[in-house]
Amino acid sequence: MSQKLRIALAEGDGIGPEIMGACLGIFEAAGVMEHVEFVPAEMGERVFAAGNSMGISDEGMRIVEDTGLVYKGPMGTPVGKGGKSINVTLRKMYGAFANVRHFQSLPNVETVYSKAGVPIDVVIVRENIEDTYGGIEHRLTADVVECKRLISAPGCDQVHREAFETARRLGITKVHCGHKANIMKMSDGLFLERFKEVAKAYPEIETGDVIIDALCMNLVLKPQAYDMVVLPNLQGDIVSDLAAGLVGGLGFAPSANIGHNVSIFEAVHGTAPDIAGKGIANPTSLLLSGILMLRHIGLRAQANTIENALMHTLEQGVHTGDFGANSGKPAVGTREFGAAISANLGNEPATHTVRPAKGVSAAIEHGRPERPKAHTLMRTFTGSKSEIVGCDIYLDTTLEPAPLAEKLKGICEGSPFKLTMMSNRGTQVWPSGSVYTEIVDYYRVRFELRDMAQAAGMEQATLIKLLGGIADAFAITDFQPLKYYDGKPGFSLAQGQ
Ligand code: NAI
């Protein structure tokens, strides 16, 4: 009976089958197939074309759920037909919460930094599910749309723990948290706060934090300053591509999407329709992603042997047409490039870090978690107590601040709440402000308890009564109760408040 670890295999569209063929050939030569069985899972353009808007067949989903590991080539996303990116669907549906990308300078891959003799070796860990990527968007008024940005404490904990675990596995001794907590004090503030909390379990790893804009400048000026950076989703998305640029582009950037139940290892470039079928595509990104996968499942010796062979091959000046023009050698095709790496298995690079092929795990260390019986409810602050102290009500109106405030004060008279603040696009326009503040047709109006002693036992129904009174006079777009959590305000102040 086969004891091999099963991995779902999706070759991908466009150049996918060509680069996947090259990678599997190298795996075969390195003895990976003695431990692993790849099971084809149907997804991508063909599935979309058959009218399945998810882009993955039922059988494909069953294989992904059954194996919990996916090795995939690039997939085309149908433009403007309602089909969503299969890459994003897989990551979100299966909770692959941490995107791990390793960017390193490669021999004979010429970049501004390689020419300057600046080596690059940085891992970017990006939260993969939350943030603006929930895609929760609404048109609130004629002129204003909103995108909700959700950051959860358990979501932060997952990605931070994965970052520290990866750092420990790879021997990385310093991890930074990138954020914009100086502006988004609550959401990015929570991301940073949880980073510091999770870090306590990894005392051997040094930590630091850096504001996202400074991080971008520093990565360009002195990329050696960072070993690993963990970031919220959107910031991580942008910084990942910045880091790819440092090492020669997306063709050299591997990607692992790690989840509790399903992890996905994929190339970050697309299907390259312009060169598909020509046999000239570069398999390096997909191979490096495969190396991350082999390390993840315990085949570290095989992963290191392949990485050493890849670096040695690049040092020899072997290259596909998209890079290495200065090597003095003609470009080879995808298949020849793969064959050269296979032939170099056992050889080590002279100019690049040699990864140990002995004394590290060479057998499967990956246990497949049980299929969950229900959705897993993740909690962090289980004992937290909250009290209602007011509400923010959002209005669709073109009134000037002063007459609007007069009307609202009249409506809340006699209720336990008083009007305390109004803002427009986040800037306070009442009770004080500047006439120079330009406004749009969307206000936030804040009501707070006249007497904070009433917070204890304050019912939501009392707020709803106030909301009803405002709704009789104005078009309401949204409503947000204001609460204290364990005695601390769970809401931000307006700019200028
Ligand atoms: P692309 O990455 O496919 O191509 C951009 C340029 O890079 C092209 O000139 C291409 O020839 C070149 N290139 C990309 N990978 C290469 C490789 N391995 N070797 C040599 N040259 C390579 O980006 P594009 O054209 O924007 O997207 C094409 C399709 O790929 C779209 O349907 C898009 O949705 C999809 N896509 C899929 C991704 C994934 O599956 N992870 C990621 C990005 C795009």
Side-chain angles (χ1 to χ4, degrees), residues 15 19 45 72-77 87 91 266-275 280-283 322:
I15 58 169
I19 56 175
E45 271 170 2
K72 67 175 280 295
M75 305 271 169
T77 304
N87 309 306
R91 282 175 222 156
E266 62 185 350
V268 286
H269 57 72
T271 57
D274 50 335
I275 57 165
I280 57 171
N282 177 2
D322 54 308

Side-chain angles (χ1 to χ4, degrees), residues 69 111 223 282 290 319 340 346 376 404 413 415:
L69 293 164
T111 66
N282 177 2
H319 66 96
T376 307
L404 175 61
E413 225 169 50
S415 88

Side-chain angles (χ1 to χ4, degrees), residues 206-223:
E206 203 186 322
T207 57
D209 75 276
V210 54
I211 291 174
I212 183 74
D213 28 342
L215 172 67
C216 289
M217 185 183 70
N218 293 344
L219 276 173
V220 172
L221 284 178
K222 42 175 182 169

Side-chain angles (χ1 to χ4, degrees), residues 318-329:
V318 181
H319 66 96
T320 46
D322 54 308
F323 75 104
N326 294 340
S327 69
K329 296 197 172 176

